[in-house]
Amino acid sequence: MSRVTATKTARRVAVALMLFALLSAFAMMRELNHDESQYIAATQLALTGLPYRDFAYLQTPLQPMLFAPLAALFPHHLFVALRLVNAACGAGAILLLWVALKRAGVGDKAAWIAAGLMTLSAPLLLAAAVARNDALPALLFCASLALLAGPQKPRNVALAALLLGSAAAAKISYAIPAAALMAMAVAGPRDVKERLPLAPLIGGFAVPTAFVAILALLAPDAFWFEVIRYAVEAPREWYGATGRTGALGTGHVVKFLRNGLYGPMLAALLICGVAAWRARPWQAAERASMTIFALLLAASIVAAFLPNPTHLQYWVPALPPLFLCLGMALDRRQPLAWYGKLLLAGTAVAGLAETSVGVVHALREGLPAFRIERDAAALRRLLDAHGVSGPVAGIVPERFADSGRPVDRRFVTGPFLFRTMHLISSDEARRWHVMPFGQVSTLREEPPAAIVTLAAPEEYRGDAFLKRKLDQAAVEAGFVPIGRAGPMILWLPIKRRPGPPPAFR
């Protein structure tokens, strides 16, 4: 290895380590997101069971199955472990985007700019900071793009399909770009079909498809409701009940576009569109690649827009092809005009703003991730003192999963299935091992070892109502509050305490 090559390698390794360190720091500083509940609890339960058959899971199943060993390796630190793994996935996605840009022939300057702009996008910073299922599929998508951007080889196409199919097996949104890639191979222009031979593509997609299909066939009704029906019906039911139907109509479009300004996403789309409009004729190989990436970008924008209501993290599937196309546009056109540079820089600063607020708050109040760990450790000591060893129920499993006790599988999705009203019958609830709030009377029939509630509701709309329902269910099931760990209240069956139950407040 020459000295120049060694220097470049050392520089890239240093960049990778600094990127991981930065995203890890942000992960420790990010406040708790209640979406983390189902992913943390499902990872724990995947050690001993399968999604859909043994416990509910509202996404395609790869992530909890892949990350389950973390629950065995870090039984008292799963929250932090999952956040750090997501930070690593976020860093890996950025680095693989840079690899994809270089393999597509983009120069160093444009490649670093595009990768840097993706780093400063608020959706990516969120995905890399919380224990959701956004960072892993983004990493897999970037790896797939890196293979598609490289030399035309059947092996590369098969691996790209395997990775993109695996992204869809971790988050269903990625099924749309996966389907677009298959459609291009079947019905695309001739030069595109030459770059996407059908047999390797089918072979690559077959593995993750079979993985999801096998788990779905083990519990088809549960899979259909949890992965497909829930995403369509449950938000409409809950948002209607909480008076927010406007967020599902025009508000959905407005918020999606507004979220596109928390980072250079809309600016990048505009620049890519202008570059495509003014593009010089492409050589055949370039034209095929640009067609593939442009159609993947279009499909990914659809995937980002479809979830309704929309949230910031739903932009993540669009980021890999968007910033790949941006890097190619910046590399192949005249120097960007000053107003284009200002637009990218301004929106990049906006993307960093939300994370910066969290950093300031964490420096003043302490690191939220470590606070969650301390509270779980306090709950563990409380459970130990009362000899509790069985499953713990509650709609905040992300807070108590590190207590050393299993999460009661009826509450594995946190508040999400608990807050359904008319979507699940009592028979389905028993068969699918879930407990909507309207059916909590059955808690007395099969009580958990303990129940955990919060002293005060979280700040999400409707959480005060859910807290009252769980408090009431605990009382009716014969549980009494016996102690507190941080914001968590521990409830145990009356038989564990002599005398009459205390009045509930």
Side-chain angles (χ1 to χ4, degrees):
M1 182 184 294
S2 68
R3 180 175 298 178
V4 173
T5 303
T7 301
K8 285 185 177 179
T9 301
R11 186 182 301 130
R12 290 168 186 171
V13 170
V15 169
L17 292 174
M18 286 190 294
L19 185 59
F20 173 64
L22 179 66
L23 294 180
S24 296
F26 288 163
M28 297 301 98
M29 296 177 184
R30 174 76 65 164
E31 279 293 342
L32 182 67
N33 183 307
H34 78 167
D35 283 358
E36 294 177 274
S37 56
Q38 61 174 311
Y39 301 105
I40 292 171
T43 300
Q44 185 198 75
L45 294 187
L47 262 180
T48 55
L50 296 176
Y52 322 123
R53 188 193 71 178
D54 301 318
F55 61 89
Y57 186 60
L58 303 178
Q59 275 287 348
T60 40
L62 178 62
Q63 178 159 312
M65 300 293 287
L66 186 64
F67 289 170
L70 293 173
L73 292 171
F74 308 103
H76 299 153
H77 308 283
L78 183 59
F79 181 88
V80 167
L82 284 174
R83 281 200 167 190
L84 290 176
V85 166
N86 275 2
C89 288
I94 295 163
L95 296 171
L96 284 168
L97 173 72
W98 183 87
V99 172
L101 287 159
K102 295 303 297 177
R103 286 168 66 88
V106 175
D108 281 350
K109 182 178 179 181
W112 285 116
I113 289 173
L117 288 172
M118 188 168 95
T119 306
L120 296 175
S121 301
L124 188 282
L125 291 172
L126 174 62
V130 297
R132 281 180 43 90
N133 71 330
D134 301 302
L136 173 63
L139 169 73
L140 295 169
F141 197 8
C142 287
S144 178
L145 291 174
L147 287 163
L148 292 173
Q152 178 186 341
K153 295 179 180 178
R155 181 182 61 185
N156 286 354
V157 173
L159 287 173
L162 174 66
L163 290 163
L164 183 51
S166 297
K171 189 175 182 70
I172 197 170
S173 299
Y174 290 80
I176 296 177
L181 193 66
M182 180 63 76
M184 284 185 261
V186 173
R190 181 178 178 181
D191 54 351
V192 169
K193 290 195 285 188
E194 288 176 353
R195 285 194 65 85
L196 297 173
L198 193 56
L201 204 65
I202 292 174
F205 281 131
V207 177
T209 301
F211 168 73
V212 175
I214 290 170
L215 290 176
L217 289 172
L218 292 174
D221 291 346
F223 175 85
W224 179 253
F225 174 77
E226 292 162 20
V227 179
I228 307 298
R229 277 186 55 209
Y230 178 87
V232 176
E233 298 176 12
R236 294 185 181 279
E237 181 185 66
W238 181 245
Y239 273 63
T242 53
R244 293 179 289 168
T245 54
L248 305 175
T250 305
H252 170 70
V253 179
V254 172
K255 189 176 180 182
F256 178 77
L257 294 174
R258 187 181 68 200
N259 287 340
L261 294 172
Y262 287 114
M265 290 84 74
L266 289 181
L269 267 177
L270 178 62
I271 290 169
C272 288
V274 171
W277 181 262
R278 297 179 176 177
R280 59 176 171 77
W282 302 97
Q283 297 177 359
E286 283 185 320
R287 184 173 62 246
S289 295
M290 286 301 299
T291 301
I292 292 170
F293 298 143
L295 290 177
L296 283 175
L297 173 56
S300 299
I301 292 292
V302 172
F305 178 77
L306 278 181
N308 188 10
T310 191
H311 297 287
L312 182 63
Q313 63 270 14
Y314 294 153
W315 264 95
V316 175
L319 301 185
L322 173 58
F323 287 100
L324 174 58
C325 290
L326 177 65
M328 297 177 77
L330 293 176
D331 192 59
R332 285 166 169 77
R333 59 163 289 155
Q334 296 297 320
L336 195 62
W338 66 268
Y339 47 83
K341 295 177 181 177
L342 182 62
L343 185 62
L344 286 174
T347 51
V349 170
L352 192 59
E354 182 191 23
T355 298
S356 299
V357 171
V359 169
V360 171
H361 185 267
L363 292 175
R364 186 172 62 244
E365 304 292 335
L367 299 180
F370 294 154
R371 184 174 68 244
I372 297 296
E373 276 220 337
R374 287 196 301 271
D375 293 343
L379 180 64
R380 183 166 65 250
R381 290 191 294 271
L382 196 56
L383 290 165
D384 288 343
H386 290 272
V388 179
S389 59
V392 178
I395 61 174
V396 286
E398 71 279 18
R399 292 180 178 271
F400 61 78
D402 283 337
S403 67
R405 274 70 176 177
V407 174
D408 186 311
R409 63 180 176 174
R410 294 168 294 183
F411 293 85
V412 66
T413 64
F416 296 104
L417 286 180
F418 184 75
R419 72 190 190 190
T420 56
M421 289 172 279
H422 307 295
L423 302 180
I424 304 173
S425 69
S426 57
D427 177 64
E428 288 169 335
R430 283 191 295 271
R431 287 190 290 111
W432 300 345
H433 317 295
V434 300
M435 186 169 287
F437 71 80
Q439 301 174 30
V440 287
S441 59
T442 60
L443 206 60
R444 179 183 287 274
E445 300 171 11
E446 190 181 344
I451 298 174
V452 167
T453 63
L454 292 181
E458 296 183 293
E459 297 178 358
Y460 302 99
R461 184 80 67 89
D463 275 10
F465 169 79
L466 298 180
K467 175 188 174 337
R468 289 195 302 272
K469 285 293 184 181
L470 188 57
D471 288 344
Q472 180 183 355
V475 172
E476 292 176 354
F479 284 69
V480 292
I482 59 92
R484 183 166 170 171
M488 294 180 287
I489 296 175
L490 176 64
W491 298 65
L492 294 180
I494 293 174
K495 63 183 179 181
R496 290 184 176 272
R497 290 182 59 145
F504 179 79
R505 291 182 172 82

